[in-house]
Amino acid sequence: MNSEFRIGTLVDPQPRISRDQIDWLHAASCSVLDGIGIICFNEQAVHLFDGAGCRINKNAKEKKAWTVKFPEKVIMNALESVPRRVVLGARDRRNRLLLDNDRPMVYFGTGSETNITLKSRLAEFVQKDDPSVLRTLPIFTQERGSIANLCRSAKLCNQLDNVDFFIRNVNLQDQDINLQNKDVNVFMASLMYMTKHVQAGLTNIDRLDDILKLAALVAGGESELKDNPILSFITCLVKSPLQMVDDTTEKLIAIARKGIPLVVSSSPQGGSTAPIREEGMVALINAEILAGITLTQLVHPGTPVLYGAVPVRARLDNLHDLYSAAEFIHYNIDCIQLARHYGVPCYSTAGVGDAKTPGMQATVEKMYPHFAVAAAGAQYIHYALGLLDKTNVFCPLQAVLDDAHIGVVRQILRKPSFDQERAGSSVVEIEKVMGSSTRLFSRYIRKAMREGVVSSPYPFESRDGSDEVLCRAQERLETLEKEPCEKLDTELISKIYTSVAGLVPIERFWV
């Protein structure tokens, strides 16, 4: 296998909870699973759990549901077969991701299937108190999600340096998109422009084979896809609290049987569908994820799986999600530590807030979680770029800003690279400079820059002392949108259209 992988940010994970607290949370989750159990609405999953030694009872309150209680040994046996190392492939093999539980390399990517795309352009305004002064500011317009907007997003995210993977972030609302053809068009739009790893949910289980056929064509064949899985799936099979829903569970079973990497995701809300206190929230979400991971291994031992923690906290005024709360960061770091404890690569969350347009509020709400969650060592951080108004809006301008801010986070988190010899050589450097006429260290800067230990100024800083951040970011966005892209070639597109049904006319994918 080619050993070349995309370089992320290698960190020394910063813990929040102690080893004793990890043990207590694990014990609490096992008590939930063994004592309260999961309400399962999928009969196929029930049979698998039954065969593994779980206790099954018909649920008295639901027509087609069973209560499944998990002995701890069933959970631990499943965890033993989960790979500690997961490779997520990419159309350009240099962009493959290595998620290794023993080596916390952090990657950032997009996420959330937003209904609104917030577009921006610059316009001139007359200053109210001084009509002689003109100010340039961005103005925003909303568009509903579409194939064209998903293609534009994929093209942009492929160009942004700190986007390591692409989770479809625009919901297709074109009139001719329906349950039968949505999935193939989502993956086609993503793979058309994305040379990095592509991930999405599965709307219609009947189209799974077509999606894998599409992926195999792009990867170069079925064996190449197995070696280089250029796409993976998200399965949020648990409706909190503790309810394993029928259709998503069916999808998880089908995906696991194919051996394709998948995320077992859960997203309880502290204060409504989960306890608001840290220990209660984490015990619950951990129980839900462990139940899902167990199912993947019962279906197909060795299935590559990510521990998909998406815990949120409720606003206390309206019960909407409050992603920027301190507790949101606490929940996520605890889950990252638990995933590492189990030896499962972690899919985590950062970069979301309440702000509805780019600006200071969005920057503050995003930067703190970006830094804290990355410092904790989550290997795969989604929701990280471009989201506004919680997870309802994707904004290309915000994606450009987030890309720059993640770059700053990565510079702060970079590991020190010197050894004893380098520390000693610094004394020689200082001695030489002190013996020179200038007593300046300028001649040594270029070498340090080549070694990557000198960070650049903020890319959108003002030219004259005024606040030009949004304007300069908009200029950067417009430059990127004009640059050529690495889309699929004509011959491959022709093969795809011959083999995969339901794709809209190819002209709809051109941007």
Side-chain angles (χ1 to χ4, degrees):
M1 179 184 289
N2 189 331
S3 61
E4 203 167 36
F5 294 98
R6 186 174 177 86
I7 298 174
T9 301
L10 187 64
V11 301
D12 289 322
Q14 300 300 304
R16 171 173 170 77
I17 54 178
S18 69
R19 179 54 190 262
D20 283 344
Q21 288 171 317
I22 289 174
D23 291 340
W24 298 335
L25 288 170
H26 170 74
S29 296
C30 288
S31 293
V32 168
L33 289 170
D34 194 18
I36 302 168
I38 294 272
I39 301 172
C40 183
F41 293 85
N42 183 274
E43 190 169 1
Q44 188 176 182
V46 168
H47 289 311
L48 289 165
F49 289 135
D50 187 30
C54 294
R55 301 188 304 281
I56 311 294
N57 291 298
K58 191 74 177 72
N59 190 281
K61 296 181 180 180
E62 303 285 351
K63 185 176 180 181
K64 188 185 175 184
W66 298 261
T67 298
V68 181
K69 296 187 178 181
F70 298 75
E72 184 177 2
K73 66 178 182 180
V74 174
I75 301 294
M76 302 312 293
N77 287 343
L79 287 170
E80 286 181 5
S81 69
V82 174
R84 297 177 66 89
R85 181 179 182 272
V86 174
V87 173
L88 298 179
R91 182 151 66 87
D92 181 340
R93 291 180 68 93
R94 294 171 296 180
N95 284 327
R96 294 185 308 152
L97 307 181
L98 176 60
L99 309 184
D100 189 338
N101 185 72
D102 300 319
R103 191 169 184 264
M105 185 76 76
V106 178
Y107 298 105
F108 294 86
T110 59
S112 190
E113 197 173 28
T114 60
N115 288 321
I116 300 297
T117 298
L118 188 67
K119 296 196 170 181
S120 54
R121 63 181 178 85
L122 297 178
E124 284 193 337
F125 295 87
V126 175
Q127 187 165 306
K128 189 174 182 179
D129 60 352
D130 186 353
S132 66
V133 176
L134 292 178
R135 298 193 64 193
T136 302
L137 296 169
I139 58 174
F140 301 97
T141 55
Q142 291 189 352
E143 287 187 6
R144 293 181 67 81
S146 65
I147 291 172
N149 281 333
L150 180 57
C151 289
R152 291 188 189 99
S153 173
K155 177 177 180 284
L156 171 64
C157 291
N158 198 55
Q159 295 166 298
L160 295 176
D161 292 336
N162 292 301
V163 178
D164 298 311
F165 58 88
F166 184 72
I167 298 177
R168 52 87 186 98
N169 53 6
V170 175
N171 186 20
L172 306 189
Q173 299 172 79
D174 310 70
Q175 286 189 347
D176 54 351
I177 294 297
N178 53 52
L179 183 64
Q180 295 302 315
N181 67 0
K182 180 178 179 180
D183 291 318
V184 291
N185 283 289
V186 164
F187 279 102
M188 182 66 177
S190 302
L191 290 168
M192 177 70 76
Y193 293 97
M194 183 54 57
T195 65
K196 306 168 188 178
H197 185 71
V198 169
Q199 190 174 78
L202 180 63
T203 304
N204 185 350
I205 192 172
D206 294 335
R207 300 311 304 271
L208 176 60
D209 286 342
D210 284 320
I211 294 167
L212 296 182
K213 189 184 298 181
L214 167 61
L217 286 167
V218 175
E222 291 185 8
S223 61
E224 287 81 0
L225 178 62
K226 185 175 180 180
D227 177 60
N228 180 32
I230 62 174
L231 56 75
S232 59
F233 295 93
I234 306 165
T235 55
C236 190
L237 75 165
V238 176
K239 175 185 176 183
S240 300
L242 300 170
Q243 301 162 82
M244 194 171 283
V245 299
D246 186 25
D247 61 339
T248 313
T249 302
E250 199 75 23
K251 294 168 188 174
L252 177 144
I253 291 170
I255 294 165
R257 281 183 175 148
K258 301 288 187 180
I260 298 294
L262 58 87
V263 180
V264 172
S265 175
S266 179
S267 185
Q269 186 189 59
S272 61
T273 61
I276 200 167
R277 289 179 64 90
E278 177 177 5
E279 63 276 16
M281 158 62 88
V282 178
L284 178 72
I285 190 173
N286 186 52
E288 294 174 342
I289 293 172
L290 288 178
I293 289 175
T294 297
L295 180 57
T296 67
Q297 302 308 301
L298 295 178
V299 173
H300 186 273
T303 294
V305 61
L306 306 188
Y307 182 108
V310 193
V312 298
R313 209 213 80 184
R315 287 187 65 104
L316 301 184
D317 52 355
N318 57 19
L319 291 185
H320 292 168
D321 291 335
L322 184 59
Y323 287 95
S324 57
E327 294 87 346
F328 165 77
I329 296 175
H330 299 165
Y331 300 157
N332 273 278
I333 295 175
D334 293 355
C335 289
I336 293 164
Q337 286 188 246
L338 281 164
R340 187 174 300 110
H341 171 70
Y342 297 128
V344 184
C346 187
Y347 163 110
S348 195
T349 311
V352 194
D354 283 351
K356 291 180 168 51
T357 56
M360 181 61 75
Q361 180 185 344
T363 298
V364 170
E365 289 177 335
K366 289 164 172 282
M367 282 289 282
Y368 285 113
H370 274 149
F371 181 82
V373 173
Q379 290 98 334
Y380 194 86
I381 302 176
H382 84 315
Y383 283 2
L385 296 103
L387 293 181
L388 291 167
D389 191 15
K390 305 170 189 64
T391 60
N392 297 317
V393 172
F394 173 72
C395 177
L397 176 58
Q398 187 63 54
V400 170
L401 290 163
D402 290 338
D403 181 67
H405 299 160
I406 290 170
V408 173
V409 168
R410 285 185 144 147
Q411 287 291 337
I412 295 170
L413 291 175
R414 73 170 183 254
K415 294 168 68 69
S417 59
F418 62 85
D419 53 19
Q420 184 177 8
E421 182 181 349
R422 292 288 295 272
S425 67
S426 67
V427 178
V428 177
E429 180 181 320
I430 294 168
E431 183 179 15
K432 287 182 178 179
V433 169
M434 290 305 295
S436 70
S437 59
T438 62
R439 294 180 182 170
L440 294 174
F441 292 85
S442 306
R443 62 178 294 184
Y444 298 98
I445 292 175
R446 287 189 178 181
K447 183 179 179 182
M449 291 178 68
R450 288 195 298 270
E451 294 172 351
V453 297
V454 178
S455 57
S456 301
Y458 184 61
F460 308 126
E461 67 181 7
S462 69
R463 300 184 178 97
D464 58 5
S466 60
D467 185 351
E468 297 178 341
V469 169
L470 294 184
C471 292
R472 297 201 65 190
Q474 178 67 30
E475 292 169 0
R476 173 65 176 153
L477 170 62
E478 292 173 3
T479 298
L480 289 171
E481 289 177 334
K482 293 174 184 176
E483 289 182 356
C485 56
E486 302 174 66
K487 62 178 181 289
L488 298 177
D489 65 56
T490 303
E491 184 178 348
L492 177 56
I493 290 171
S494 179
K495 289 180 181 178
I496 290 170
Y497 269 80
T498 300
S499 305
V500 180
L503 294 169
V504 300
I506 187 61
E507 294 77 17
R508 299 270 295 282
F509 294 101
W510 299 147
V511 293

